[in-house]
């Protein structure tokens, strides 16, 4: 039971130290708020994704046919009818997936965006199955909608481009432009398949549109009558294994259809999302705990100082017969009061942080607009953590104070702050000697070693704050470097054009266009790399480039025309356990309009490592790849450099007018995914940056205040001797400078460590096709180091106010016991 | 007591009063104090605890400002001076010795003395400091920190600090208050010799509650309850060695 006197004492103590109390409660508030807010944001995202995944029927599957291999619709229907386990499948359907570019008539001219269009038959799915695919509203199109051409578009996409219900939408397919009437907008989970296996960039850009229409319509628009390239199915009951899918795949292969099978649960997207969930939680845990640690330091510093100042009072209490438990209780209770105030602030701050994090995710993730509940369990965790911090911060100092011998406590000179300077260690002497530019700097250096525990706590607090910022910004810099490398990889090319089919070079009609300065021909295919066993290897992009004009950039020399070896990414080679000189089998898929798809196997020696940012590219010489595919003189991918002053949009429109052109990408398109990642990164980084810099500032300010209050008598003596305010300020500034320099050096090192050991591996695991290198820009390090230093130094300016108000006669007195 | 200003007066106080509030209570630390001190005098200001003697010393040392009255020290009007002027005055003209030494804890004995000289922007501060430290008999302890010195040694460093400034006025607030008898005698001897060695040009004020110490003074000013109750010349001051308390 807290009695009246206890409350009186506590309120007086709080009032006396109100500035310190404010700083500490704000720091603790930021700590608990950050914990709750950041986790709320992440947890909401995870819960949304989990809900989405639950609705996504993860046990269902997709049979995919290799790129450039369209299966005849009628044939596959007949084949499916013969599948022995068809009765275990509740519903199945076929669809065609096309890569398209949307076109809008805007005042800016042609706006071409990548996207996917799915044509789904929706014949076999009943309404209940359709609902099971988690449409938020509306329905999939069915055969009843034939002759009413319409497209279902994802709602965020529509909002971004202000598309209204019943708007006309021009869809540009590789060969045709079709005007299609848009009717009804729904949110479909199927949009997620736009994250196709070849792309691992997490792109939530609204420019990735996804649309659904009837199969027949899409076949007609794309000129791919009777073609499909996917089978989707729902199983009758929840499957513990994926035997039906595997069985169906085997069946189709035996029937002569090369295909792949993916359980929805195992699509790269789902795996990416699951991994991202885990990574986000891990990352937020690290960030939140670091922030809480800093708050703990601040609280510890403040309460420790308070107990030191009150040692005489404690001595009096002990002499009067107060027991240790009462003294312990008082300071723990004091700490809990501060914790309570801090937590109230934390709840408010955390709410804003959570909202900001959630808004960030919503801007970059195409997740159905679900409710944002308050995560009570996380809030409770944050509250418990706040109280735990205060208990830990107050218990040990209080225990030490309570266990003092009364006369020792009574004799303690509060003005010394419990820290006289004596017995300097050797390294302290050396350090002091190094920085003794003047008497002021010498005093400052020795001041640092007066209270070693507090000095270590302050340095750790500064360094942890800075480490967080450096680690996160370093990750950002690494991505920028990746993006720039990616661009650099492309050299000076302005446009990459991909064809549907290989075209003989002489038949490419635009090669003599005067707007083109240079063309590099290439053949690009997806290939599997196999060693002696038939392992389940990922698809690798096999590329060959003309070495005639511009040599292909690789690590050791250039890709020469007469080479019989391949250049492989070192990272990929390490993963597959491949050494230089080793022969690997390339299984690749060749498509010819006349012949159809064939699978060719070639064995080549690994001759070089390449250092391009995409790990999945395996480079072979131009002529070699042509001969492998029996496509001498043909290309399916062109790199084009234009002359100056060419209107890129119009040129792109011109290229799309050719039927064999599948995709036209400008330079900025190629790095758009990375830019999307960077944008989202930046948003989250700003939140973390402001939190940690506020903490850093608060901690330094608190330490400065405590140091100054301890040194009142010294400062009074100096002023009595005639020292000016500025000369006294100089000592404090030096002290802040030394502490900050140590904190900055340690912080940069810790930041690099966190980046190298935690963040980079996580990002590399998430973005597997890229080779991401750790690159922290010097400007990043310098900027935040200098900022920390400025904060440290300017926080000392408060001493001028103290000096101005100082009553010298009081300041130079020792408490006369 | 009237203040007679003559050509050799270094301190001139007229009608000095100091009052302040402690909670709701008005405290009159000094009431209408007036006197003059001449150059070269060794003055003891004597009084019991709470008589206002330290407050008076603080006024003279420019570390406190009177509520009423006029303070002139070494020709400087301290009552009208601003903070920076007061700091400059203390720097150049006052050597202060505190009861609790008030040495800077992170400076060695030598550096504490050196600090005071450096404030005056004088050259060869370290050498001068060494000389003064030697004078007070601490040349073997120059590199020790205050926490490594005894009370007497610390006070000797404080005296050295005051002497090193070569000021015309030294103010000592209970310099022997924290010391034992023998050490106290040594300190007083140093102070007396500081006055004598400068051909009687240096003026020294010592504040104490110990009436025996007053025997070494040229003049004793007694205070009680903030008022000067007597101001008597001592016709035959004794050597500190002869003191007994």
């Amino acid at each position: 039971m807290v009695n009246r006197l206890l409350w009186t004492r506590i309120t007086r103590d709080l009032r006396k130290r109100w500035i310190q109390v404010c700083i500490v409660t704000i720091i603790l508030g930021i700590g608990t708020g950050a914990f709750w807010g950041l986790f709320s944001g992440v947890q909401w995202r995870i819960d949304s994704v989990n809900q989405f995944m639950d609705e996504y029927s993860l046990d269902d599957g997709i049979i995919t046919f290799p790129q450039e291999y369209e299966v005849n619709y009628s044939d596959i229907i007949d084949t499916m009818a013969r599948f022995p386990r068809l009765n275990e499948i509740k519903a199945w359907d076929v669809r065609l997936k096309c890569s398209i570019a949307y076109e809008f008539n805007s005042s800016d001219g042609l706006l071409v965006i990548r996207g996917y269009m799915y044509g789904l038959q929706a014949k076999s799915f009943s309404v209940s199955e359709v609902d099971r695919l988690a449409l938020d509203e509306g329905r999939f199109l069915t055969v009843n909608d034939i002759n009413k051409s319409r497209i279902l578009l994802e709602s965020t996409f529509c909002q971004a481009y202000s598309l209204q219900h019943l708007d006309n939408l021009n869809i540009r397919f590789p060969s045709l432009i079709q005007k299609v009437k848009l009717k009804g907008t729904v949110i479909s989970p199927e949009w997620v398949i736009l994250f196709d296996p070849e792309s691992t960039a997490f792109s939530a850009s609204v420019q990735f549109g996804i649309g659904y229409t009837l199969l027949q319509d899409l076949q007609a628009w794309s000129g791919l009558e009777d073609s499909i390239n996917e089978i989707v199915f729902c199983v009758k009951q929840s499957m513990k294994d994926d035997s039906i899918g595997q069985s169906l795949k085997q069946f189709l292969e035996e029937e002569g259809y090369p295909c792949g099978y993916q359980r929805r649960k195992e699509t790269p997207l789902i795996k990416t999302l699951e991994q991202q969930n885990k990574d986000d939680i891990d990352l937020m845990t690290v960030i939140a705990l670091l922030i809480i640690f800093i708050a703990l330091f601040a609280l510890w510093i403040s309460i420790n100082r308070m107990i030191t100042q009150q040692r005489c009072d404690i001595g009096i209490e002990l002499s009067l017969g107060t027991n240790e438990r009462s003294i312990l209780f008082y300071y723990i209770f004091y700490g809990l009061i501060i914790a309570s105030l801090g937590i109230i602030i934390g709840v408010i701050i955390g709410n804003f942080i959570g909202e900001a994090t959630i808004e960030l995710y919503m801007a970059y993730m195409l997740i159905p607009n679900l409710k944002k509940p308050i995560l009570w369990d996380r809030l409770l965790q944050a509250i418990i953590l706040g109280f735990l911090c205060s208990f830990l911060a107050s218990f040990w100092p209080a225990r030490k104070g309570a266990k003092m011998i009364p006369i020792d406590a009574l004799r303690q000179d509060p003005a010394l702050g419990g820290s006289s300077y004596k017995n300097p260690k050797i390294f302290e002497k050396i350090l002091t000697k190094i920085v003794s530019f003047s008497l002021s700097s010498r005093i400052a250096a020795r001041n640092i070693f007066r209270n070693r525990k507090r000095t270590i706590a302050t340095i750790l607090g500064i360094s942890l704050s800075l480490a967080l910022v450096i680690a996160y910004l370093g990750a950002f810099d690494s991505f920028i470097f990746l993006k720039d490398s990616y661009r650099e990889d492309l050299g000076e090319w302005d446009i990459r054009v991909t064809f549907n089919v290989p075209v003989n070079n002489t038949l490419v009609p635009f090669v003599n266009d005067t707007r083109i300065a240079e063309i590099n021909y290439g053949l690009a295919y997806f290939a599997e790399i196999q060693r002696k066993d038939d392992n389940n290897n990922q698809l690798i992009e096999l590329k060959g480039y003309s070495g005639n004009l511009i040599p292909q950039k690789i690590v050791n020399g250039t890709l020469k025309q007469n080479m019989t070896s391949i250049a492989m990414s070192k990272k990929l080679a390490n993963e597959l356990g491949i050494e230089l000189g080793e022969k690997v089998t390339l299984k690749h898929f060749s498509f010819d309009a006349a012949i159809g798809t064939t699978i060719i196997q070639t064995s080549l020696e690994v001759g070089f490592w390449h250092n391009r940012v995409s790990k999945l590219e395996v480079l072979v010489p131009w002529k070699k790849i042509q001969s492998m595919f029996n496509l001498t003189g043909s290309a399916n991918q062109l790199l084009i450099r234009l002359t100056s002053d060419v209107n890129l949009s119009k040129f792109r429109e011109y290229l799309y007018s050719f039927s064999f052109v599948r995709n036209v990408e400008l330079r900025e398109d190629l790095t758009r995914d990375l830019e999307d990642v960077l944008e989202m990164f930046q948003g989250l980084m700003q939140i973390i940056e402001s939190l940690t810099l506020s903490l850093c500032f608060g901690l330094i300010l608190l330490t400065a205040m405590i140091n100054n209050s301890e040194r009142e008598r010294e400062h009074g003596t100096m002023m009595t001797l005639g020292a000016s305010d500025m000369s006294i300020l100089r000592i404090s500034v030096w002290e802040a400078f030394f502490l900050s320099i140590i904190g900055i050096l340690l912080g940069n090192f810790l930041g690099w460590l966190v980046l190298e050991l935690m963040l980079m591996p996580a990002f590399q695991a998430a973005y597997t096709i890229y080779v991401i290198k750790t690159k922290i820009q010097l400007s990043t390090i310098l900027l935040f180091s200098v900022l920390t230093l400025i904060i440290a130094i300017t926080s000392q300016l408060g001493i001028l106010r103290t000096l101005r108000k100082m009553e010298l006669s009081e300041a130079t007195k020792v408490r006369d016991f | 007591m009237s203040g007679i200003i003559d050509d050799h007066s270094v301190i001139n106080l007229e009608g000095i009063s100091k009052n302040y509030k402690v909670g709701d209570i008005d405290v009159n630390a000094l009431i209408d104090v007036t006197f003059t001190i001449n150059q070269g005098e060794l003055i003891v200001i004597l009084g019991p605890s709470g008589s206002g003697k330290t407050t008076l010393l603080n006024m003279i040392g420019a570390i406190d400002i009177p509520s009423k009255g006029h303070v002139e020290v070494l020709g400087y009007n301290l009552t009208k001076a601003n903070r920076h002027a007061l700091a400059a005055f203390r720097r150049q003209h006052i050597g202060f010795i505190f009861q609790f030494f008030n040495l800077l804890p992170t400076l060695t004995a030598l550096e504490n003395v050196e600090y005071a000289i450096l404030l005056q922007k004088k050259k060869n501060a370290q050498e001068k400091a060494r000389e003064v430290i030697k004078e007070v008999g601490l040349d073997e302890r120059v590199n020790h920190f205050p926490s490594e010195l005894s009370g007497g040694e610390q006070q000797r460093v404080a005296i050295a600090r005051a002497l090193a400034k070569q000021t015309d006025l030294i103010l000592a607030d209970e310099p022997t208050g924290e010391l034992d008898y023998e050490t106290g005698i040594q300190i007083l001897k140093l102070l007396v010799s500081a006055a004598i060695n400068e051909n009687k040009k240096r003026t020294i004020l010592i504040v104490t509650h110990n009436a025996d110490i007053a025997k070494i003074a040229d003049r004793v000013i007694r205070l009680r309850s903030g008022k000067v109750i007597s101001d008597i010349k001592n016709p035959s001051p004794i050597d500190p060695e002869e003191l007994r308390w």
Side-chain angles (χ1 to χ4, degrees):
Chain A
M1 190 75 171
V2 177
N3 60 32
R4 185 181 54 84
L5 272 179
L6 177 66
W7 274 120
T8 307
R9 275 187 67 195
I10 284 182
T11 46
R12 282 184 193 155
D13 275 336
L14 287 169
R15 219 174 26 223
K16 196 171 156 187
R17 293 174 179 75
W18 70 272
I19 296 179
Q20 269 186 49
V21 167
C22 283
I23 294 175
V24 175
T25 51
I26 289 171
I27 290 176
L28 197 60
I30 292 174
T32 50
F35 184 90
W36 178 47
L38 289 174
F39 269 116
S40 283
V42 169
Q43 195 63 52
W44 174 81
R45 186 187 76 71
I46 291 171
D47 289 348
S48 305
V49 168
N50 287 341
Q51 182 178 345
F52 152 74
M53 287 202 285
D54 285 343
E55 292 164 349
Y56 190 47
S57 309
L58 293 176
D59 291 325
D60 300 334
I62 309 166
I63 295 285
T64 54
F65 298 100
Q67 208 156 348
E68 312 305 338
Y69 184 89
E70 282 105 18
V71 177
N72 183 272
Y73 165 70
S74 314
D75 290 347
I76 207 67
I77 298 291
D78 291 340
T79 306
M80 281 295 289
R82 296 197 298 274
F83 178 49
R85 293 177 71 176
L86 195 61
N87 60 341
E88 292 179 56
I89 293 177
K90 187 163 31 176
W92 65 276
D93 206 345
V94 292
R95 66 183 182 190
L96 180 66
K97 172 179 140 187
C98 284
S99 179
I100 59 163
Y102 294 100
E103 177 194 329
F104 296 92
N105 293 321
S106 68
S107 56
D108 296 328
L110 180 69
L111 182 65
V112 180
I113 310 120
R114 282 186 294 172
Y116 284 96
M117 182 67 77
Y118 286 89
L120 186 66
Q121 180 158 254
K123 181 175 76 174
S124 309
F125 286 98
S126 67
V127 171
S128 60
E129 297 313 317
V130 165
D131 287 344
R132 196 169 165 226
L133 291 170
L135 293 176
D136 206 30
E137 53 183 293
R139 58 175 179 83
F140 273 121
L141 301 176
T142 67
V143 292
N144 299 326
D145 297 305
I146 288 174
N147 300 325
K148 303 173 200 172
S149 294
R150 56 194 69 171
I151 298 174
L152 311 179
L153 282 177
E154 200 274 324
S155 66
T156 316
F157 182 87
C158 294
Q159 281 162 28
Y161 292 101
S162 306
L163 292 174
Q164 303 294 327
H165 184 77
L166 296 180
D167 267 356
N168 286 326
L169 180 70
N170 294 328
I171 305 286
R172 181 191 289 287
F173 283 89
S175 55
L176 301 163
I177 300 175
Q178 290 289 334
K179 233 185 202 171
V180 180
K181 200 167 187 178
L182 173 67
K183 183 153 184 176
T185 55
V186 296
I187 298 166
S188 161
E190 295 296 324
W191 58 261
V192 296
I193 299 176
L194 68 88
F195 297 98
D196 61 26
E198 288 76 42
S199 165
T200 58
F202 167 61
S203 171
S205 165
V206 294
Q207 293 154 328
F208 262 94
I210 180 77
Y212 261 97
T213 191
L214 288 173
L215 179 65
Q216 292 87 325
D217 286 344
L218 184 58
Q219 286 172 329
W221 297 335
S222 59
L224 293 166
E225 279 84 6
D226 291 336
S227 293
I228 60 109
N229 56 16
E230 282 185 1
I231 300 172
V232 292
F233 62 88
C234 301
V235 298
K236 274 187 178 168
Q237 56 192 7
S238 182
M239 301 285 296
K240 285 206 169 49
D241 56 47
D242 54 359
S243 61
I244 291 181
Q246 293 290 359
S247 181
L248 180 56
K249 174 179 183 276
Q250 194 180 349
F251 170 73
L252 289 168
E253 280 175 340
E254 285 165 5
E255 293 286 327
Y257 298 102
C259 61
Y261 159 68
Q262 266 184 333
R263 211 169 176 190
R264 286 194 189 200
K265 189 186 289 194
E266 282 152 19
T267 55
L269 170 75
I270 301 299
K271 287 192 176 310
T272 302
L273 290 174
E274 282 174 347
Q275 184 61 42
Q276 261 172 8
N277 289 351
K278 185 182 166 308
D279 292 343
D280 277 359
I281 289 283
D282 289 346
L283 184 66
M284 288 306 173
T285 304
V286 168
I287 292 170
L289 285 178
L290 280 174
I291 291 176
I292 287 273
F293 258 131
I294 295 165
L296 181 67
F297 278 142
L299 196 51
W300 178 80
I301 286 171
S302 177
I303 292 183
N304 198 40
R305 174 58 199 149
M306 179 190 164
I307 290 171
T308 304
Q309 277 181 324
Q310 293 186 341
R311 271 186 167 183
C312 254
D313 301 341
I314 294 172
I316 294 168
E317 283 191 69
L318 289 170
S319 328
L320 290 172
T322 311
N323 62 29
E324 288 172 16
R325 212 170 350 156
S326 301
I327 293 170
L328 196 63
F329 176 77
Y330 176 80
Y331 290 105
I332 290 173
F333 193 71
Y334 181 90
L336 290 176
I337 299 279
I338 293 189
S340 306
L341 296 171
I343 284 163
I344 291 170
I345 295 172
V347 168
I348 298 168
I349 292 175
N351 192 50
F352 285 116
I353 294 171
E355 284 286 336
T357 315
I358 286 166
E359 289 301 324
L360 204 62
Y361 279 127
M362 279 184 70
Y364 292 98
M365 294 196 70
L366 300 174
I367 295 176
N369 199 8
L370 300 174
K371 291 195 183 64
K372 292 173 278 181
I374 293 177
L375 295 169
W376 295 108
D377 55 341
R378 283 292 179 192
L379 177 58
L380 189 63
Q381 281 175 6
I383 291 171
I384 291 170
L385 210 55
F387 280 122
L388 190 64
C389 280
S390 97
F391 178 80
L392 287 173
S394 30
F395 178 77
W396 299 112
R399 190 165 174 270
K400 221 168 127 190
K403 286 198 172 301
M404 280 190 292
I405 296 169
I407 192 60
D408 288 342
L410 289 167
R411 281 193 192 132
Q412 188 75 45
D413 183 351
L416 283 177
S419 53
S420 57
Y421 185 73
K422 59 184 170 190
N423 303 326
K425 304 208 182 341
I426 296 204
F427 83 89
E428 290 170 9
K429 286 186 192 173
I430 294 170
L431 213 65
T432 308
K433 220 162 180 72
I434 292 169
V435 300
S436 287
F437 319 118
S438 62
L439 202 55
S440 303
S441 63
R442 205 181 314 162
I443 295 173
R446 287 176 186 162
N447 276 343
I448 289 170
F449 299 115
R450 278 168 79 171
N451 191 332
R452 294 182 180 107
K453 280 185 195 158
R454 194 178 341 126
T455 295
I456 290 170
T458 308
I459 290 172
L460 269 175
I462 295 172
S463 58
L464 285 174
S465 311
L466 191 61
L468 255 180
V469 174
I470 295 291
Y472 215 69
L473 279 172
F476 188 73
D477 286 347
S478 303
F479 267 90
I480 291 187
F481 180 73
L482 174 68
K483 188 191 81 169
D484 292 342
S485 303
Y486 206 50
R487 280 213 173 130
E488 202 189 308
D489 234 14
L490 295 171
E492 295 304 313
W493 308 109
D494 295 313
I495 297 179
R496 181 164 69 192
V497 187
T498 312
F499 300 156
N500 283 320
V501 293
V503 176
N504 194 289
N505 301 347
T506 58
L507 298 177
V508 176
F510 51 77
V511 292
N512 296 317
D513 193 303
T514 53
R515 289 173 287 185
I516 294 176
E518 199 173 343
I519 296 183
N520 195 333
Y521 299 93
L523 276 172
Y525 283 90
F526 288 92
E528 277 180 25
I529 287 189
Q530 288 176 320
R531 305 184 74 194
K532 288 171 193 162
D533 316 325
D534 202 350
N535 291 323
N536 189 19
N537 293 307
Q538 57 189 332
L539 291 175
I540 314 294
E541 193 167 5
L542 178 70
K543 279 188 174 169
Y545 283 97
S546 162
N548 291 333
L549 295 168
I550 309 291
Q552 203 58 49
K553 218 168 52 161
I554 58 174
V555 175
N556 302 315
T558 57
L559 202 56
K560 294 191 174 61
Q561 285 303 298
N562 55 0
M563 266 170 41
T564 54
S565 56
I566 61 176
M568 182 185 286
S569 158
K570 178 84 173 147
K571 208 170 182 73
L572 178 65
N574 285 342
E575 279 176 23
L576 300 176
I578 293 171
E579 305 287 334
L580 273 178
E582 193 177 323
K583 279 207 168 182
V584 293
T585 307
L586 287 168
K587 192 160 100 174
H588 43 86
F589 306 93
S590 172
F591 179 76
D592 184 282
I595 302 167
T597 303
T598 53
I599 297 170
I600 303 170
Q601 283 197 178
T602 309
S603 192
L604 284 176
E605 187 184 291
V606 177
F608 299 91
W609 304 132
H610 75 69
N611 66 344
R612 304 175 84 190
V613 293
S614 176
K615 148 182 114 173
L616 288 181
E617 286 178 6
V618 174
L619 304 176
V620 295
W622 164 254
K623 287 203 181 332
K624 182 75 189 165
I625 202 171
Q626 283 181 319
S627 71
M628 284 195 312
F629 291 122
N630 302 317
L631 290 167
T632 305
S634 297
N636 68 1
Q637 196 175 80
L638 269 55
L639 294 174
I640 296 175
R641 192 159 56 81
L642 300 172
T643 56
S644 55
D645 300 330
V646 173
N647 185 315
L648 285 172
S649 297
K650 286 206 178 308
F651 193 76
R652 180 156 59 174
E653 186 185 352
Y654 164 69
L655 290 174
Y656 268 124
S657 65
F658 298 100
S659 60
F660 53 84
V661 168
R662 179 155 61 106
N663 209 13
V664 178
E665 296 165 292
L666 304 181
R667 275 177 74 85
E668 49 266 27
D669 294 338
L670 297 165
T671 54
R672 187 163 286 138
D673 290 347
L674 287 170
E675 280 167 8
D676 290 340
V677 172
L678 283 169
E679 251 185 84
M680 192 190 135
F681 222 117
Q682 209 163 10
L684 197 55
M685 186 185 64
Q686 278 166 357
I687 296 173
I688 291 172
E689 215 177 282
S690 40
L691 284 174
T692 49
L693 283 177
S694 315
L695 282 174
C696 198
F697 178 74
L699 191 69
I700 295 170
L701 195 63
L702 186 69
T703 311
M705 283 185 61
I706 287 172
N707 284 348
N708 291 337
S709 70
E710 275 181 0
R711 291 180 199 155
E712 203 185 327
R713 191 146 68 96
E714 278 164 60
H715 292 161
T717 304
M718 287 182 195
M719 287 180 75
T720 308
L721 291 170
S724 63
D725 295 354
M726 290 309 290
S727 67
I728 297 172
L729 176 67
R730 213 174 295 136
I731 296 170
S732 295
V733 166
W734 272 121
E735 199 176 327
F737 177 79
F738 293 142
L739 280 174
S740 307
I741 290 291
I742 300 170
I744 285 165
L745 289 172
L746 186 61
N748 278 295
F749 172 70
L750 286 176
W752 173 82
L753 216 59
V754 169
L755 180 64
E756 189 66 23
L757 299 178
M758 291 175 65
L759 291 181
M760 281 294 107
F763 287 126
Q764 187 64 84
Y767 302 104
T768 50
I769 64 156
Y770 295 119
V771 179
I772 309 177
K773 291 196 174 109
T774 306
K775 287 272 177 196
I776 311 178
Q777 289 208 45
L778 190 60
S779 55
T780 302
I781 293 174
L782 284 175
L783 175 66
F784 285 92
S785 299
V786 168
L787 203 59
T788 305
L789 203 57
I790 290 172
I791 290 170
I793 288 171
T794 49
S795 67
Q796 307 304 310
L797 293 177
I799 195 181
L800 290 174
R801 188 170 170 271
T802 312
L803 293 174
R804 205 169 303 132
K805 289 187 156 204
M806 193 181 278
E807 293 274 355
L808 291 182
S809 49
E810 288 304 313
T812 49
K813 269 192 208 167
V814 172
R815 183 164 159 172
D816 190 8
F817 178 73
Chain B
M1 294 264 160
S2 64
I4 300 165
I5 306 163
D6 70 32
D7 292 339
H8 300 290
S9 67
V10 295
I11 297 171
N12 181 33
L13 306 180
E14 280 183 29
I16 299 299
S17 294
K18 177 73 180 177
N19 34 42
Y20 50 87
K21 260 187 175 339
V22 177
D24 292 329
I25 301 168
D26 287 320
V27 176
N28 296 316
L30 290 173
I31 302 170
D32 199 25
V33 169
T34 298
F35 60 76
T36 304
I37 292 174
N38 296 321
Q39 188 182 24
E41 288 188 302
L42 175 64
I43 308 283
V44 164
I45 299 175
L46 193 60
S49 181
S51 58
K53 53 188 190 298
T54 300
T55 308
L56 182 62
L57 201 72
N58 291 342
M59 300 286 166
I60 297 167
I63 62 173
D64 201 353
I65 302 164
S67 309
K68 252 194 323 186
H70 175 85
V71 178
E72 193 179 288
V73 179
L74 296 168
Y76 291 89
N77 186 344
L78 299 184
T79 21
K80 286 193 163 39
N82 62 32
R83 286 178 65 244
H84 303 293
L86 289 175
F89 173 77
R90 289 193 297 270
R91 193 157 52 235
Q92 299 300 334
H93 298 291
I94 303 288
F96 217 110
I97 301 164
F98 298 93
Q99 179 180 358
F100 289 96
F101 330 130
N102 282 6
L103 298 179
L104 300 177
T106 50
L107 293 180
T108 59
L110 180 67
E111 287 165 348
N112 262 283
V113 178
E114 192 187 338
Y115 181 76
I117 304 170
L118 283 172
L119 283 174
Q120 294 177 319
K121 293 191 172 26
K122 286 183 180 165
K123 291 185 181 161
N124 304 319
Q126 202 177 78
E127 283 144 33
K128 287 182 178 146
R130 263 189 212 281
E131 280 170 27
V132 181
I133 286 259
K134 205 173 168 185
E135 276 177 33
V136 301
L138 280 178
D139 42 335
E140 284 175 15
R141 306 282 280 166
V142 292
N143 291 322
H144 285 78
F145 292 97
S147 55
E148 295 164 346
L149 300 172
S150 68
E153 287 169 339
Q154 288 187 60
Q155 195 62 298
R156 279 195 270 169
V157 175
I159 291 173
R161 183 173 64 184
L163 294 176
K165 289 174 76 173
Q166 292 184 322
T167 52
D168 295 329
L169 187 56
I170 290 183
L171 308 176
D173 186 2
E174 300 272 14
T176 61
E178 292 300 303
L179 306 172
D180 58 80
Y181 171 74
E182 272 94 18
T183 314
I185 297 294
Q186 283 173 23
I187 295 302
L188 290 172
K189 277 171 74 172
L190 279 172
L191 284 172
V192 168
S193 67
I196 295 169
N197 287 350
E198 290 294 312
N199 295 322
K200 286 285 205 172
K201 282 191 184 154
R202 185 178 270 152
T203 308
I204 299 183
L205 264 74
I206 301 173
V207 155
T208 182
H209 63 274
N210 187 340
D212 289 309
I213 291 175
K215 294 172 187 171
I216 66 172
D218 297 325
R219 193 167 136 202
V220 179
I221 298 172
R222 279 181 186 268
L223 291 183
R224 188 189 292 156
S225 302
K227 291 182 184 169
V228 173
I229 55 168
S230 70
D231 183 356
I232 300 169
K233 273 197 172 150
N234 184 358
S236 31
I238 65 173
D239 194 87
E241 283 280 8
E242 295 170 43
L243 285 175
R244 297 287 179 266
W245 68 77

